[in-house]
Amino acid sequence: MRKAFIPLLFFSLFLILPASAKTVVSIGDIEASPGESITAPIMIYDVTNYGVGTIKVTYDPSVVHVTDVASTADSSVIAWSVDNKTGYVSISAWNMMGVSGNISFADVTFKAVGSPGDISDLNIEIKTLKDITYKDIPATPINGSFKIQVPSPTVSITTDKAIYHPGDTMIVTINLTNPLNTTQELLFVWFFGIPDEGYWKKIVDTSLTLSPDSTSIIQRRIPIGNWRRSFNAVFLVFILDPETYEIIDDDSVKWSYMTRATVWRENRENISANIGEEIERGVEGHYF
């Protein structure tokens, strides 16, 4: 009897339970740096003839504050109120003509006020949601989150010019920052490439130690040879975790080499390799 009864019970419950609403209201997951303000939309997905709504978002005020709410192309904000002591914002908005599909209900500006690594839930409460005939639109709220990013070391690379000619000296500047209060052991990798020809060469691969709360500037002067033909080049730099090899940060800079006479040769790979070796020699012998 039980084996027959249990499936019948679940089948009956399935028939009487309401189906999940097709329309979804979502804020998404947001990340920001300490003290940073970032604007994110409250989205309504798969809606038909959206007319008017009031949506409330609650949050941890020790982590994040709401500083502004703005209308979107889909929805005009009628009124909004915020309480950054309690931790909520309530927004009323409408579209008198009606709009369907995936729409942006309102743009909300959040400011990170907590500490690195703090996380707050962003809980959606749908007070009202109606179409242009003022009929209720059943909708499912999907909560999001707000996370304050933990600062990490950064790397950047620049050249003093965008175009070089035979006999020039290229000045390359690499900036390394460590915003953390602990020493960081990193791997530093520098690539030279001529993307149009599929040529890449690793010219630096070394360990680096960055002091706490520090900025390091490295400059290299690279002689530009008579390389016989023009090409577009790029430098790529990476800093990685020395144990996991996870990329912590990266940057790139594009530059061009122009010569008066362009010589086309069949063995272009050898020419590219020679250029890469010259650039590598221009960097060798320096401490990173």
Side-chain angles (χ1 to χ4, degrees):
M1 291 294 292
R2 288 187 179 182
K3 290 182 180 179
F5 174 74
I6 292 175
L8 180 61
L9 174 63
F10 277 96
F11 181 73
S12 300
L13 287 172
F14 176 79
L15 289 179
I16 63 175
L17 286 173
S20 297
K22 183 175 66 170
T23 301
V24 168
V25 178
S26 172
I27 187 68
D29 295 326
I30 304 165
E31 292 190 7
S33 301
E36 181 185 14
S37 294
I38 188 166
T39 300
I42 298 175
M43 296 296 299
I44 305 178
Y45 294 100
D46 205 3
V47 68
T48 300
N49 288 329
Y50 156 73
V52 65
T54 298
I55 295 172
K56 183 178 181 180
V57 182
T58 59
Y59 49 88
D60 184 343
S62 69
V63 176
V64 59
H65 287 174
V66 170
T67 59
D68 193 22
V69 175
S71 301
T72 72
D74 301 318
S75 180
S76 298
V77 173
I78 306 167
W80 62 282
S81 61
V82 63
D83 185 338
N84 283 320
K85 291 184 179 180
T86 304
Y88 75 84
V89 62
S90 184
I91 306 164
S92 295
W94 67 359
N95 185 314
M96 291 186 295
M97 303 303 294
V99 63
S100 300
N102 299 332
I103 71 162
S104 177
F105 175 77
D107 285 335
V108 183
T109 301
F110 298 91
K111 182 176 182 180
V113 297
S115 301
D118 285 352
I119 300 176
S120 169
D121 292 330
L122 299 176
N123 294 317
I124 296 284
E125 182 182 352
I126 304 169
K127 294 289 191 179
T128 59
L129 188 60
K130 299 178 182 292
D131 64 18
I132 54 175
T133 66
Y134 291 95
K135 290 182 180 179
D136 287 334
I137 300 174
T140 300
I142 303 295
N143 299 327
S145 65
F146 185 94
K147 179 179 180 180
I148 302 179
Q149 297 169 336
V150 177
S152 60
T154 64
V155 63
S156 66
I157 184 169
T158 58
T159 56
D160 62 317
K161 295 192 299 184
I163 299 175
Y164 295 90
H165 300 89
D168 286 348
T169 297
M170 174 189 290
I171 301 175
V172 181
T173 302
I174 298 166
N175 283 275
L176 295 153
T177 65
N178 176 20
L180 303 173
N181 60 6
T182 57
T183 299
Q184 296 295 300
E185 302 292 340
L186 304 169
L187 292 179
F188 174 79
V189 183
W190 181 358
F191 283 92
F192 162 72
I194 305 176
D196 295 339
E197 299 169 18
Y199 174 80
W200 294 96
K201 182 177 180 59
K202 182 164 60 176
I203 57 177
V204 174
D205 183 354
T206 189
S207 298
L208 281 179
T209 300
L210 298 183
S211 301
D213 299 312
S214 65
T215 298
S216 299
I217 299 176
I218 299 171
Q219 280 196 334
R220 296 293 176 260
R221 302 175 69 88
I222 302 175
I224 302 299
N226 184 6
W227 292 328
R228 303 177 183 175
R229 60 182 176 82
S230 301
F231 58 86
N232 297 315
V234 64
F235 286 140
L236 297 175
V237 288
F238 301 85
I239 49 175
L240 302 90
D241 185 297
E243 295 182 0
T244 65
Y245 294 100
E246 178 184 357
I247 296 174
I248 296 173
D249 197 27
D250 62 87
D251 195 25
S252 64
V253 62
K254 296 178 180 178
W255 53 276
S256 298
Y257 173 79
M258 302 293 291
T259 186
R260 294 182 179 85
T262 300
V263 178
W264 298 96
R265 297 193 178 185
E266 294 182 2
N267 195 353
R268 296 174 64 84
E269 290 186 3
N270 287 343
I271 298 174
S272 299
N274 290 338
I275 295 168
E277 289 169 3
E278 284 192 38
I279 290 176
E280 184 178 28
R281 285 195 296 271
V283 175
E284 279 180 349
H286 297 284
Y287 172 75
F288 277 86

